Structures are given as structure tokens and as C-alpha cells.
């Protein structure tokens, strides 16, 4: 029995290694409302200053991370404003807004 528990614990530990931490959508939403809502709107559809409708976006997670980090067009880069975790959370939140 003791051996089985050790094996199960080991498998669980191995499976958990290398996984990204779960996104915090509540924190992502708060970051979005603070920094993104002005141009994209609360629902992601505002389009102020030619910003994109985030509910129709098809960019990948990695591309969205790059855009938030480095900016694109009129969008300012947030690499010196937000932490990598905040950027990841806000991108996860924005992806959750897609229709």
C-alpha cells in the first residue's frame, strides 16, 4: 500500500512539472479594465483609436502576448508597465472574451 501511494504521488508530481500556472482570470479582468478598456471597451468591441474587436480576434496566445508586451500600431507596449504574469493573465482573459 505504501508503495502504491508513493507511485501515485510521484506520478502526480511529474505530471504537474512543466505546466504553466493556471491563469488568474479575475486578475486578468482587473488588469483589462484598468489598462485596456479605454480603447477596447468593457466588452472588447469599442474600437476606439482603430483598436481591434477583441471578441473576433484570431491571434494566437503567443502573438497576443507579443502585442501586449511590445505594442502594435497605436497600442503602447506594456513590458515596462505590467509584469509577465499580469500580461499572461490579461491575454488569457481577452481570449476568454472571444465569441
Amino acid at each position: 500500500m505504501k508503495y502504491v501511494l508513493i507511485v501515485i504521488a510521484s506520478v502526480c508530481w511529474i505530471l504537474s512539472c512543466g505546466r504553466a500556472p493556471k491563469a488568474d482570470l479575475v486578475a486578468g479582468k482587473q488588469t483589462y479594465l484598468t489598462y485596456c478598456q479605454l480603447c477596447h471597451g468593457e466588452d472588447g468591441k469599442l474600437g476606439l483609436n482603430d483598436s481591434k474587436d477583441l471578441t473576433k480576434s484570431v491571434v494566437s496566445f503567443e502573438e497576443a502576448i507579443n502585442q501586449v508586451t511590445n505594442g502594435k500600431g497605436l497600442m503602447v507596449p506594456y513590458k515596462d508597465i505590467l509584469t509577465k504574469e499580469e500580461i499572461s493573465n490579461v491575454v488569457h482573459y481577452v481570449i476568454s472574451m472571444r465569441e
Side-chain angles (χ1 to χ4, degrees):
M1 181 68 174
K2 183 178 178 181
Y3 176 74
V4 172
L5 292 175
I6 291 172
V7 170
I8 291 172
S10 298
V11 168
C12 290
W13 181 77
I14 290 168
L15 291 175
S16 69
C17 291
R19 288 188 178 176
K22 187 174 179 181
D24 185 343
L25 293 181
V26 173
K29 180 177 183 178
Q30 185 57 50
T31 301
Y32 177 87
L33 294 174
T34 301
Y35 295 98
C36 312
Q37 175 180 284
L38 181 63
C39 293
H40 291 284
E42 186 173 352
D43 61 358
K45 300 178 181 184
L46 182 60
L48 187 66
N49 294 324
D50 201 30
S51 65
K52 304 301 180 209
D53 180 340
L54 298 177
T55 66
K56 298 184 185 300
S57 177
V58 294
V59 299
S60 68
F61 175 79
E62 292 78 16
E63 187 177 353
I65 290 284
N66 183 54
Q67 287 178 8
V68 174
T69 302
N70 300 308
K72 183 175 179 182
L74 295 176
M75 182 173 158
V76 300
Y78 284 91
K79 63 184 171 193
D80 295 329
I81 299 168
L82 301 174
T83 66
K84 288 182 180 184
E85 181 179 17
E86 289 171 321
I87 291 172
S88 177
N89 286 339
V90 78
V91 168
H92 278 287
Y93 175 71
V94 167
I95 288 173
S96 78
M97 296 169 70
R98 293 179 181 174
E99 296 178 335

